[in-house]
Amino acid sequence: MGLLLSYSLRNLAARRMTAAFTVIGMGLVVFVFAAVLMLAHGLERTLVSTGSSDNIIVTREAATSETVSILGRDQAGVVKTEPEIAVGPDAKALTASEIVVLISASKRSNGDAANVVIRGTGPEAFTLRQDIKLKAGRMFAPGTSEVVAGRSVAKNFEGCGLGENVRFAGRVWNVVGVFDAGGSGFDSELWGDAEQVQQAFRRPIFSSVTARLRDPGSFDAMKRRLEADPRLTVEVEREREYYEKQSRATASFIRVIGLAVTILFSMGAMIGAMITMYAAVASRTTEIATLRALGFTRFTVLRVFLAEAFLLGTLGGVLGLVAASFLSLVSVSTTNWDTFSELAFSFSVSPGIIIGSLIFAVLMGVIGGFLPAVRAARADIVNSLRKA
Amino acid sequence: MAENVIEVKEVEKTYYRDRMPIPVLRGLSLAVPEGDFVALMGPSGSGKTTLLNLIAGIDRPDKGRIIVAGTDLGTLPEGQLAKWRSRHIGFVFQFYNLLPVLTASGNVELPLLLTKLSKKERRDHVRAALELVGLGDRMSHSPRQLSGGQEQRVAIARALVTDPTVIVADEPTGDLDKQSATEILDLLGRLNKEFHKTVVMVTHDPRAAERARVVHHLDKGELD
C-alpha cells in the first residue's frame, strides 16, 4: 500500500528533528558495529592474502606458528628434495628455508616497543611469492648485514626506513630496500639473509620451509608421506590455510569484545527508537482512532507504526555504513596474538558486513518500535476520539 | 415506509470513571428507516455520541442488540467489525480528523485502500467525491492549507467516497462559523435527498437539527 507507506514517511518528515536524532543515534551504533566487523575482516583478509594456494609450508609438528617452530638443517634438507616441488627457471627447486625471529623495535608514532618479525631467507623468497615486489632500493646482498623492510614496517618503525639502520642481535643492520607485499602480512616483516640471521641470533636452525608445488593436487600425498617420514617431525599445510589459522585468535577476540560492546550500545539506541515511537503514537492518538474507525484493522495500524520504526532503522543503518565506509581508508596495526608480532592492516568491508549491519539496524528499529506499535494497535477507538 | 436500516433494541451502556459506574444508555430503542435524516439532540452526557458510536460499530453495548444494514453487530468479531465499518459507515467528525500529513486526495483515498479498487479507479472515485463537495481544485492541498469549512468538506468526501449505507456525523458544524456550517448542512442534506444516504447526526445546534427529517431528544440515556 503506497499511500500508507507515504503516510509513514511523511510522519517521519513532519517530526524531522526527533527522527533525525534517533537516526543519528542508531547510525552511531551501526557505525561501531560495522567498524568492528570491518576490523576483524581486514585482519583476516591481510593474513589470508599472505598465503598462496600453490605453496606449502612445513613447520615442526604441533607448532602453532613459525615463530615457535624449529626445523634442523637436516630436516629442511629432506623437505627440499621432495619430488612434488616445482623447479624454477634456474633449475633449482622452488623452496625457501627460513628462520623467523621476533625483535623489539620502537614505533615512530610514540616510541613504544612492539614486536617485529625478522625473516631470514634467500633470494628465492621473492620467486616463491610473486605478488611481492621491491618498490625502492635493492635486494639485500647474501652474506651481509643488510635487510629489506616491508612497507608497513618501513613506515611505522624507527630505523626501518630505506637507508636507515636498525640494531638487533648485537649488530647494526642496513635497510637497503623496501618491498610491497600488497597489504599482506609480509608488509609487517623485515627480511634478511638466512645465514646471517642464524649467526647473529646464534640459532643454527630454520623455522619453516616454504615450497611451490608442481601440481597443487599432489598436496595430500606429499603431506601424508612427509608427516609419516621417521626422519622428520613436521606438519605440512597449504600456505593459505596456515595464515588463515594465524588470524583466528585475534579476529575472534576483536569480534567477541567488539560485538558485546556494540550490543550494549544498541540497547541505548533501541530505547531511543522506543521513545521516538512512543512519542509518535501519543501525538497521533486521534489519527490512529480515525484510521480504525474508517475500518483499518489493529494489524494494519501495527504495520504502519512498525514501518515507521523500520524506516528509522534503515536510515540509521545507511548512515552508519556510509560513515564506516570511510574507515576503509584507515590503516591500523595491532599485535597478532597468534605470533605476538605487530601486524598492520586496513578496515575492510564485505557484502556480508553491509547486509549484516543493515539487518542489525532494522532489528534495532523494529524491536524499539514494537511496543509503541502494539500500544497504537490496542488503543480504544472511542476513548481516543474523545481526546480530540 | 422503507425498511429500517438501523435498529437499536433495548440497549444499555455503562461507563466507569474511577470505578464509579456512570450509566449512559438505559434500555434505549430506536429504528431508522432507510434514507432517513435523523438528528440526535440532548444535553451533554445524555448519551448521544455513545449511541452514534454504537450505531457506527466503534463501540459495543453492554446489553441489547444493534442491527445496521442487516447485520447484528454483536455477532461480529473485532476484525470483521472493522471490515464492516469500511463498507457501511461514513464518518464525519466535529474536528474533521483529517490526517495532517496527507493531501486532501490522500485523505479521501484512505478508506478506498480497504476496497479492491485499482489505483486508477481509486483516483477517479477520489476526484468525483472531491468535486461533489466542491473541492475539485484542492486535491493536492494539505489540510493545513484549507479552511475549517473546506476541511470538513474533505471529511465528507472521505465519508461518502466508499458509498456507505449510513453516514454518521458527530457535531459536524460544532467547530465552524455560520457560513461554513450552512454549507456543510446543505451538503449533508444533498447526500440525503439526491443520493438517498441515511444520515444520523449528533448536534447541539438547533439550526442543524432543522435540516433533519426527524429529531430525537435524548435525556439521561433515554429517548424523550
Side-chain angles (χ1 to χ4, degrees):
Chain A
M1 284 193 200
L3 186 64
L4 285 184
L5 190 68
S6 101
Y7 170 68
S8 295
L9 261 176
R10 285 175 200 211
N11 271 305
L12 285 182
R15 294 173 293 125
R16 59 182 82 77
M17 279 306 269
T18 356
F21 281 116
T22 314
V23 166
I24 291 172
M26 289 207 263
L28 284 171
V29 176
V30 173
F31 172 80
V32 175
F33 181 85
V36 166
L37 293 179
M38 283 166 71
L39 198 63
H41 182 245
L43 178 76
E44 278 169 344
R45 220 183 58 162
T46 299
L47 283 170
V48 170
S49 67
T50 303
S52 147
S53 50
D54 292 346
N55 287 354
I56 59 153
I57 180 163
V58 180
T59 51
R60 188 164 80 164
E61 196 174 359
T64 50
S65 76
E66 283 178 290
T67 44
V68 295
S69 165
I70 294 172
L71 291 179
R73 284 170 176 276
D74 49 341
Q75 295 204 18
V78 171
V79 173
K80 280 171 101 163
T81 56
E82 291 301 312
E84 285 89 348
I85 294 173
V87 175
D90 54 356
K92 282 193 191 159
L94 270 177
T95 68
S97 305
E98 299 181 325
I99 170 167
V100 171
V101 190
L102 292 179
I103 61 153
S104 181
S106 303
K107 285 192 187 179
R108 287 192 203 275
S109 56
N110 50 16
D112 283 355
N115 289 339
V116 172
V117 169
I118 309 295
R119 184 178 295 271
T121 182
E124 321 81 64
F126 283 91
T127 330
L128 267 174
R129 300 166 181 128
Q130 294 192 329
D131 297 338
I132 303 180
K133 301 273 182 287
L134 209 56
K135 78 169 192 182
R138 57 172 174 83
M139 181 63 181
F140 60 84
T144 63
S145 297
E146 289 179 349
V147 290
V148 291
R151 87 189 151 158
S152 304
V153 174
K155 198 174 117 200
N156 296 328
F157 287 90
E158 282 175 18
C160 296
L162 184 61
E164 294 182 311
N165 300 316
V166 57
R167 171 177 275 279
F168 60 85
R171 284 198 204 173
V172 174
W173 303 73
N174 300 321
V175 181
V176 296
V178 173
F179 62 86
D180 181 355
S184 72
F186 294 122
D187 272 332
S188 299
E189 297 183 356
L190 286 172
W191 289 3
D193 180 48
E195 298 291 335
Q196 294 302 313
V197 173
Q198 284 176 342
Q199 282 172 29
F201 284 97
R202 297 192 183 86
R203 267 192 224 183
I205 46 97
F206 292 108
S207 303
S208 66
V209 176
T210 301
R212 166 80 47 81
L213 288 185
R214 207 190 294 265
D215 167 19
S218 61
F219 172 78
D220 289 327
M222 184 183 181
K223 176 181 169 72
R224 225 174 299 123
R225 199 179 60 247
L226 281 180
E227 289 182 358
D229 191 320
R231 293 169 295 171
L232 306 173
T233 49
V234 297
E235 201 163 309
V236 183
E237 281 174 283
R238 289 187 196 276
E239 201 184 20
R240 173 155 302 198
E241 282 157 20
Y242 167 81
Y243 283 107
E244 204 174 308
K245 259 186 4 198
Q246 304 262 290
S247 65
R248 241 169 247 166
T250 311
S252 332
F253 176 78
I254 292 174
R255 269 207 194 100
V256 169
I257 297 288
L259 292 187
V261 170
T262 320
I263 284 166
L264 283 178
F265 284 177
S266 74
M267 309 246 169
M270 272 186 237
I271 291 169
M274 206 180 282
I275 293 170
T276 309
M277 290 309 298
Y278 266 127
V281 172
S283 67
R284 271 145 68 196
T285 321
T286 317
E287 282 180 52
I288 296 163
T290 305
L291 283 172
R292 293 281 314 286
L294 293 179
F296 288 91
T297 57
R298 289 179 194 278
F299 182 63
T300 310
V301 171
L302 185 81
R303 264 192 358 212
V304 164
F305 281 88
L306 279 182
E308 266 173 57
F310 179 92
L311 284 169
L312 279 177
T314 311
L315 288 174
V318 170
L319 183 75
L321 276 175
V322 167
S325 67
F326 286 102
L327 284 176
S328 308
L329 307 173
V330 178
S331 170
V332 290
S333 74
T334 184
T335 301
N336 180 1
W337 294 57
D338 287 282
T339 59
F340 297 104
S341 62
E342 193 76 1
L343 181 74
F345 57 99
S346 305
F347 286 87
S348 164
V349 72
S350 73
I353 292 175
I354 293 175
I355 294 167
S357 303
L358 282 178
I359 291 176
F360 177 69
V362 165
L363 276 181
M364 271 198 296
V366 171
I367 293 173
F370 185 74
L371 287 178
V374 167
R375 171 186 275 191
R378 291 172 62 99
D380 181 73
I381 306 176
V382 173
N383 280 335
S384 306
L385 283 176
R386 197 179 291 149
K387 280 180 196 151
Chain B
M1 191 69 205
E3 223 173 291
N4 286 337
V5 71
I6 301 170
E7 285 181 67
V8 178
K9 293 177 177 171
E10 297 292 319
V11 159
E12 291 182 18
K13 179 81 186 173
T14 303
Y15 284 120
Y16 291 86
R17 189 166 294 157
D18 299 330
R19 271 181 252 156
M20 278 279 293
I22 304 169
V24 185
L25 298 177
R26 315 171 189 214
L28 184 143
S29 294
L30 172 74
V32 178
E34 191 167 3
D36 210 346
F37 190 157
V38 177
L40 300 174
M41 294 190 77
S44 293
S46 60
K48 331 180 275 296
T49 298
T50 302
L51 179 58
L52 194 75
N53 290 342
L54 290 171
I55 291 171
I58 57 174
D59 203 355
R60 292 180 187 269
D62 298 332
K63 264 193 199 148
R65 289 169 72 200
I66 296 171
I67 299 157
V68 180
T71 307
D72 185 342
L73 302 189
T75 62
L76 296 180
E78 184 64 37
Q80 285 186 33
L81 190 60
K83 203 172 189 182
W84 175 88
R85 284 197 298 270
S86 71
R87 194 167 313 148
H88 292 290
I89 302 292
F91 280 93
V92 180
F93 302 95
Q94 179 176 2
F95 300 106
Y96 337 126
N97 290 18
L98 299 179
L99 305 193
V101 297
L102 296 182
T103 60
S105 63
N107 269 288
V108 177
E109 194 184 341
L110 269 178
L112 294 178
L113 295 180
L114 299 163
T115 64
K116 289 198 172 96
L117 296 178
S118 72
K119 199 167 181 182
K120 189 186 169 300
E121 288 171 315
R122 290 206 303 264
R123 207 175 305 143
D124 294 343
H125 279 65
V126 168
R127 179 177 299 278
L130 279 169
E131 272 167 5
L132 185 71
V133 299
L135 291 175
D137 56 341
R138 296 279 195 280
M139 303 259 300
S140 52
H141 283 52
S142 82
R144 231 179 317 145
Q145 296 166 311
L146 300 172
S147 70
Q150 287 172 329
E151 278 196 76
Q152 192 61 301
R153 282 194 274 158
V154 173
I156 290 176
R158 179 178 66 186
L160 64 86
V161 74
T162 52
D163 193 25
T165 319
V166 179
I167 290 182
V168 297
D170 192 357
E171 307 255 16
T173 58
D175 197 44
L176 296 176
D177 60 74
K178 204 170 153 192
Q179 166 78 25
S180 303
T182 308
E183 283 170 20
I184 294 300
L185 291 169
D186 288 346
L187 205 47
L188 288 174
R190 252 185 87 198
L191 290 181
N192 176 244
K193 288 204 181 70
E194 285 177 35
F195 299 91
H196 310 292
K197 293 284 155 216
T198 310
V199 180
V200 181
M201 174 175 71
V202 163
T203 187
H204 274 117
D205 180 357
R207 280 179 307 120
E210 272 172 25
R211 305 296 190 103
R213 216 183 52 78
V214 190
V215 179
H216 291 296
H217 287 272
L218 270 86
D219 195 20
K220 294 187 180 125
E222 287 164 27
L223 285 178
D224 272 359

